[in-house]
C-alpha cells in the first residue's frame, strides 16, 4: 500500500465558523486540504479559491463518505447540524457513519470537536449527542483527539468569534501534546 502523506487532511464542516478557520490555517501551514461540501445554492467557492479541494459528500448519505477519505491521513470533524437540520441525523447518525468510514478506509488520525462538559448536560440534545459521539470515537480504535470547546458566539451582523486558539490546534496536527488535548487523546487499539 502507498503511504498516505501526513499533511493530507479532510475537513468536515469547512464552510462553518470554526471549519473555515481550520481550513485557512491548514492551507497557510502547507497542508493538503480536502473539504466535504454538500450540493447547495451557495457553493463553497471560497474554499477552492483558497486552494482547498472540495468533494461532494453528505453526513446524511453514509455511502458518500468513504470515497472522500481515500488518501487522507487526518479527518478533522468540526461539522454540526444547522438550525433547520436534525441533530440526531447529522450529529449522531452522520458522525457514527463518518467514524465507521474512517475505520474502514484506514484513516490514521481523527480530530473531533465537542463541547466542554457535554456529558454533564444530557438534557441538552446537542450536548447529549456530543458526549455519546466522544464515547463512540473512544471505542472505535482510531487514533483520535477530542477538543472540548467552550463554545463560540456568532451574531447576525456577521461578526464571528471563536474561542479555540489556532496555535493550540496545530500542536495536535504536529503530534505535540498540547494543553487542550490532555487526557483526551487516544492511541489506536492494538
Amino acid at each position: 500500500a502507498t503511504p498516505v502523506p501526513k499533511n493530507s487532511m479532510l475537513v468536515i464542516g469547512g464552510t462553518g465558523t470554526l471549519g473555515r478557520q481550520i481550513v485557512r490555517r491548514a492551507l497557510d501551514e502547507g497542508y493538503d486540504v480536502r473539504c466535504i461540501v454538500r450540493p447547495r445554492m451557495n457553493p463553497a467557492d471560497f474554499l477552492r479559491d483558497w486552494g482547498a479541494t472540495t468533494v461532494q459528500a453528505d453526513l446524511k448519505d453514509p455511502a458518500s463518505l468513504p470515497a472522500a477519505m481515500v488518501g487522507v491521513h487526518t479527518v478533522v470533524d468540526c461539522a454540526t447540524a444547522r438550525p433547520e437540520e436534525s441533530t440526531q441525523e447529522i450529529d449522531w447518525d452522520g458522525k457514527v457513519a463518518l467514524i465507521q468510514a474512517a475505520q474502514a478506509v484506514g484513516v490514521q488520525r481523527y480530530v473531533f470537536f465537542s463541547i466542554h462538559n457535554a456529558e454533564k448536560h444530557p438534557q441538552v440534545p446537542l450536548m447529549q449527542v456530543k458526549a455519546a459521539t466522544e464515547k463512540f470515537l473512544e471505542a472505535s480504535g482510531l487514533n483520535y483527539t477530542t477538543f472540548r470547546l467552550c463554545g463560540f458566539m456568532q451574531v447576525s451582523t456577521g461578526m464571528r468569534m471563536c474561542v479555540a486558539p489556532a496555535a493550540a490546534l496545530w500542536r495536535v496536527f504536529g503530534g505535540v501534546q498540547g494543553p487542550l488535548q490532555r487526557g483526551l487523546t487516544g492511541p489506536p487499539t492494538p
Side-chain angles (χ1 to χ4, degrees), residues 159-183:
M159 187 170 64
R160 298 165 191 238
M161 178 184 87
C162 177
V163 299
L169 301 178
W170 301 112
R171 284 195 292 271
V172 171
F173 297 125
V176 177
Q177 293 290 327
L180 290 179
Q181 69 191 100
R182 190 173 41 251

Side-chain angles (χ1 to χ4, degrees), residues 21-33 50 170:
Q21 294 178 52
I22 291 170
V23 170
R24 180 75 259 169
R25 179 69 186 260
L27 290 165
D28 289 348
E29 295 287 329
Y31 283 82
D32 179 16
V33 181
W50 289 350
W170 301 112

Side-chain angles (χ1 to χ4, degrees), residues 69-97:
M69 294 184 193
V70 173
V72 168
H73 180 276
T74 302
V75 168
V76 180
D77 173 10
C78 49
T80 195
R82 294 183 182 118
E84 69 275 10
E85 294 176 317
S86 162
T87 298
Q88 175 71 32
E89 187 177 22
I90 301 296
D91 290 288
W92 177 248
D93 299 337
K95 299 306 180 87
V96 166

Side-chain angles (χ1 to χ4, degrees), residues 54-139:
T54 58
V55 292
Q56 289 200 352
D58 195 328
L59 290 172
K60 295 183 286 187
D61 179 12
S64 71
L65 300 173
M69 294 184 193
V70 173
V72 168
H73 180 276
T74 302
V75 168
V76 180
D77 173 10
C78 49
T80 195
R82 294 183 182 118
E84 69 275 10
E85 294 176 317
S86 162
T87 298
Q88 175 71 32
E89 187 177 22
I90 301 296
D91 290 288
W92 177 248
D93 299 337
K95 299 306 180 87
V96 166
L98 189 65
I99 292 165
Q100 290 173 334
Q103 290 171 305
V105 173
V107 166
Q108 295 174 39
R109 178 172 220 139
Y110 193 102
V111 178
F112 176 61
F113 288 90
S114 188
I115 301 172
H116 180 65
N117 287 331
E119 74 286 356
K120 294 181 181 177
H121 302 281
Q123 72 280 10
V124 178
L126 181 59
M127 293 183 87
Q128 179 186 30
V129 168
K130 291 285 191 178
T133 304
E134 285 184 30
K135 289 180 182 175
F136 187 82
L137 180 57
E138 183 179 344

Side-chain angles (χ1 to χ4, degrees), residues 128-158:
Q128 179 186 30
V129 168
K130 291 285 191 178
T133 304
E134 285 184 30
K135 289 180 182 175
F136 187 82
L137 180 57
E138 183 179 344
S140 73
L142 288 170
N143 180 12
Y144 72 92
T145 299
T146 295
F147 285 98
R148 292 176 152 188
L149 303 181
C150 294
F152 42 94
M153 303 171 73
Q154 181 173 332
V155 294
S156 60
T157 62

